[in-house]
Amino acid sequence: MLSKQDIEYVRTVSILAALDDDVVARIVRLASKHTYAKGDLVYQEGEPAKEMIVVLSGRLEIFKRGRNGREARIAALVPGDVVGEMSLVDIQPRSAAVRATEDTAVFVLTHADLAAVYREDPHAYTLLLLNLAKALAGKLARANLSLRTSARLA
């Protein structure tokens, strides 16, 4: 269960922007809170993806393991960051692994939670999907910039 402080924090996360307070409250009731100790694996690359998380406290890292077994860090996540949001739009296996780099608390929204929002309030569902699309577009733009920068350095 999310604390009052967690709920207030979740209201500030971009994927919930433009949603009425009652809609945010409904989403918070549907969702859950999970905690992970430093070093815990949150997601394994290749596993089915059925949820997204918002970092409430602590830090996570996204990484991939190469053919040689070495890990490559893709991103570091801090409170307010979202990971796994693609799974709410397109259920595909996880493209990378996620691990806690310190004790971490997350807000979890599953595909089933999103379906419940759709059944209860299609307008709120539409706004939430638009916010998810904006978040994904922002990540894609940053990835493209990073690739262009890397290509110039090579």
Side-chain angles (χ1 to χ4, degrees):
M1 164 104 7
L2 293 171
S3 70
K4 185 175 181 178
Q5 181 180 1
D6 291 337
I7 293 168
E8 289 306 313
Y9 185 74
V10 166
R11 288 179 192 276
T12 68
V13 174
S14 63
I15 61 162
L16 299 178
L19 297 178
D20 294 334
D21 286 347
D22 62 322
V23 174
V24 173
R26 187 176 318 122
I27 290 170
V28 166
R29 279 194 307 276
L30 291 168
S32 59
K33 180 178 180 179
H34 293 229
T35 57
Y36 298 94
K38 179 180 180 177
D40 283 354
L41 197 60
V42 177
Y43 296 136
Q44 180 81 31
E45 183 176 354
E47 73 183 10
K50 298 177 185 173
E51 66 187 29
M52 60 152 268
I53 57 177
V54 176
V55 180
L56 296 172
S57 65
R59 294 181 184 274
L60 300 173
E61 67 177 346
I62 301 172
F63 67 95
K64 289 186 75 74
R65 193 174 303 276
R67 289 188 184 118
N68 62 3
R70 293 179 53 196
E71 292 180 2
R73 183 185 231 187
I74 297 170
L77 305 173
V78 298
D81 285 341
V82 178
V83 66
E85 65 273 38
M86 244 170 36
S87 71
L88 296 182
V89 178
D90 183 23
I91 301 173
Q92 294 291 321
R94 298 268 178 217
S95 60
V98 177
R99 175 176 46 224
T101 55
E102 59 184 59
D103 292 349
T104 302
V106 299
F107 168 84
V108 181
L109 185 66
T110 68
H111 193 268
D113 297 334
L114 190 63
V117 172
Y118 174 74
R119 285 190 304 276
E120 295 173 15
D121 190 341
H123 179 70
Y125 172 83
T126 301
L127 289 175
L128 185 57
L129 280 185
L130 285 172
N131 289 342
L132 287 170
K134 287 177 189 176
L136 289 169
K139 285 184 175 184
L140 181 58
R142 287 187 297 278
N144 283 338
L145 179 61
S146 178
L147 287 171
R148 279 197 304 270
T149 302
S150 295
R152 280 189 225 125
L153 295 175

